[in-house]
Amino acid sequence: MYGVCGCCGALRPRYKRLVDNIFPEDPEDGLVKTNMEKLTFYALSAPEKLDRIGAYLSERLIRDVGRHRYGYVCIAMEALDQLLMACHCQSINLFVESFLKMVAKLLESEKPNLQILGTNSFVKFANIEEDTPSYHRSYDFFVSRFSEMCHSSHEDLEIKTKIRMSGIKGLQGVVRKTVNDELQANIWDPQHMDKIVPSLLFNLQHVEEAESRSPSPLQAPEKEKENPAELAERCLRELLGRAAFGNIKNAIKPVLIHLDNHSLWEPKVFAIRCFKIIMYSIQPQHSHLVIQQLLSHLDANSRSAATVRAGIVEVLSEAAVIAATGSVGPTVLEMFNTLLRQLRLSIDYVLTGSYDGAISLGTKIIKEHEERMFQEAVIKTIGSFASTLPTYQRSEVILFIMSKVPLPSLHHPMETGRTGENRNRLTQIMLLKSLLQVSTGFQSNNMMSALPSNFLDRLLSTALMEDAEIRLFVLEILISFIDRHGNRHKFSTISTLSDISVLKLKVDKCSRQDTIFMKKHSQQLYRHIYLSCKEETNIHKHYEALYGLLALISIELANEEVVVDLIRLVLAVQDVAQVNEENLPIYNRCALYALGAAYLNLISQLTTVPAFCQHIHEVIETRKKEAPYMLPEDVFVERPRLTHNLDGVVIELLFRQSKISEVLGGSGYNADRLCVPYIPQLTDEDRLSKRKSIGETISLQVEVESRNSPEKEERVPAEEITYETLKKAIVDSVAVEEQERERRRQVVEKFQKAPFEEIAAHCGARASLLQSKLNQIFEITIRPPPSPSGTITAAYGQPQNHSIPVYEMKFPDLCVY
């Protein structure tokens, strides 16, 4: 029967006759439009026939492809497209299956034109919103095929470009068709993302390489019309813009793998461009997920080459700055913790010389200069990201970094590496550099919150170390915190200006919070400034930083009491240069004189007391004539003009404390306080952190203890240890601790509540008791010095006992503490 129907056209089903009638005798004539309208009307009138129409069209198309009748193939696809656009009935699902089967047949062809034709039809289909869902449709083949087309390597450049653009359009169509339909195949699965994302990145990367060959300007407009990079970027942005919270990871991971496989971290230009596209395309609340992915990738590549890690860090820097404008969330401290950990690892690599901690066969030997570049990249990233954070988060980051800085401790001996550099020293330098980056531009109206006690104590404890570089970083960090009006750069040069109005300083009245801060921490700051001035390893930069710190304290945090204390401090620094108990070099002494002249010149004009300004001006003019080597204009230059002898400096060249206290006292300043010379109160912390290594400190203590112990000591027989002995010892120790705790509580309570007269009387009684005990000891220890005759003959020939009191004897300096 079917054979008879096939022979007799009139007996064939109507839908077949309608389909056959749309094909002309000559394919060049194109689709017969009138017959196509009849077919469309029939499909709309009898939607149950739509699946048969699609199956028959598919059969004809497959036959025409096999016979290489490509004109009829184009007509069939045009008819399918029109039917798809016109029909939205419930039976379209079966028709779509036939349609996708025909598109797949075209994509499998080796003919570029057929591939492009199939892609265009698929794109039209992707833009159609279907009325009914599909539960069983699969796009795996199309993802694979379109991704393959994106990597086309056809010999003809024009055809290759068209195929690649068709592949990108096809992927864009798959994304549009499936991304928002939960019933469709999940396009966010790794098996799909691992094909789609690298294909898009490949075209971005390939076109960048082509652009680097600098095509002629005349050819550029024509190529802009067929540029796969722009299309790939639009598709990537659309894909990422549709990504939900749980899909970000699957979309970002292929990007990282692609950059790894093609070694694109080292030039880092393409990597930065990719992540800029990502960060600006995703929703702002998803930014921290990208940051987390980058941090995890950085940890995973912790043993990779320094150039690779530096590229990841640069990308992280760009991404973090963009993310900070949105929502970074809980990744702030996580990011800084990861970066600081990478800094410490890099320091270990430099010291050990390899990534595995030991050099062996097959071990990658590091390049120190590359590690230095990586460290600088990490520090730059820390600073750039911190600059975008709000004040409260920035304060947390500052405290977090400071808590990581290793400080001298008897319980943590220093370690040394193969280059002889100290691991802790390198860590201190890197972390302080990071802290300086974070503190630059930090603005806080309350210094108590900007410099809390726990942070300031740890920071200043590093200010007295031997390392000059560390001391300089500490001074610059303090300057960054104190400078809140942008006056820092105005004190970059130390000079004695006759009129400081040219500096255009921004001076604001000291707030109540700043006054409380200075009452609490001023002496601590003064002590560290004073001790820093006495360091013989100071260079020009140190004195510039000290001058800037003094000047900024005077502008930002000064009231009358602070001004008086700063003047006393600078006069004490002048005494250091004059007395020279520290045996400082000539340059350091001249620098201290010049530093004092520059600061007193500044503070005298800030206080606007005419007599004070006149005295400072007179001393400066005298120095210009007789001792220019005591002024900053001759000292702080590239080739300092110094003297060979600073002994016997006449009083006219010095700023006199008595004169300053007299002139300022007449203007309402505390003259009694000005008359008292400044003497810093040294603490155990200063002595511990100031000198020597920790190992030398311990050995010195052990040596002193061994000298103080008797050489021959009678051994006490050991007491037998029993259960009762141990029990008694524990009970006694607990009782002693309770008594000591109670005694301390009483002492603290007494000093808090007792009147000042009672406390003064108590301290005076203790001082007198101590003096009486010392007198007794001195009287007992007086003994006549040994002599052959046992006596010393006096000047008049009469024997006379003679002895020298112990407290008048001259002891070596090492015995004095």
Side-chain angles (χ1 to χ4, degrees), residues 2 5 9-23 35-36 38-60 79 83 95 98:
Y2 290 106
C5 293
L11 300 178
R12 299 177 68 202
R14 185 182 180 188
Y15 73 89
K16 287 189 176 182
R17 283 184 278 127
L18 291 174
V19 169
D20 291 336
N21 290 337
I22 67 173
F23 292 94
N35 293 335
M36 185 64 213
K38 294 178 182 179
L39 178 63
T40 304
F41 179 77
Y42 177 77
L44 292 173
S45 302
E48 68 276 2
K49 301 292 185 178
L50 189 61
D51 58 329
R52 298 185 182 184
I53 295 174
Y56 185 61
L57 275 171
S58 174
E59 179 184 339
R60 287 204 55 152
L83 288 173
F95 177 74
S98 301

Side-chain angles (χ1 to χ4, degrees), residues 96-215:
V96 168
E97 294 299 325
S98 301
F99 169 78
L100 293 179
K101 183 179 179 181
M102 286 183 278
V103 171
K105 185 66 177 179
L106 294 180
L107 294 177
E108 289 174 350
S109 172
E110 296 180 358
K111 297 291 183 179
N113 292 336
L114 295 184
Q115 296 176 13
I116 296 171
L117 178 64
T119 303
N120 293 336
S121 294
F122 183 84
V123 171
K124 293 177 183 177
F125 161 71
N127 292 327
I128 297 175
E129 295 185 3
E130 299 181 48
D131 297 335
T132 56
S134 174
Y135 299 92
H136 57 279
R137 196 178 299 163
S138 174
Y139 295 95
D140 294 358
F141 167 79
F142 295 99
V143 172
S144 301
R145 184 56 184 156
F146 289 139
S147 299
E148 184 180 349
M149 291 172 64
C150 290
H151 292 82
S152 173
S153 56
H154 198 279
E155 296 178 357
D156 191 325
L157 179 61
E158 184 177 355
I159 295 177
K160 179 174 67 175
T161 302
K162 289 181 178 180
I163 294 175
R164 288 186 177 182
M165 291 188 68
S166 296
I168 297 170
K169 290 177 181 178
L171 290 178
Q172 189 176 26
V174 173
V175 171
R176 289 178 178 176
K177 197 65 180 175
T178 61
V179 74
N180 290 327
D181 192 349
E182 296 180 356
L183 298 174
Q184 301 285 1
N186 190 358
I187 201 68
W188 300 106
D189 286 343
Q191 59 179 353
H192 299 311
M193 285 291 105
D194 291 345
K195 297 174 183 177
I196 295 175
V197 174
S199 300
L200 300 177
L201 296 179
F202 174 79
N203 283 276
L204 281 173
Q205 171 193 352
H206 176 79
V207 174
E208 279 201 349
E209 293 174 356
E211 287 177 354
S212 65
R213 291 193 283 269
S214 301

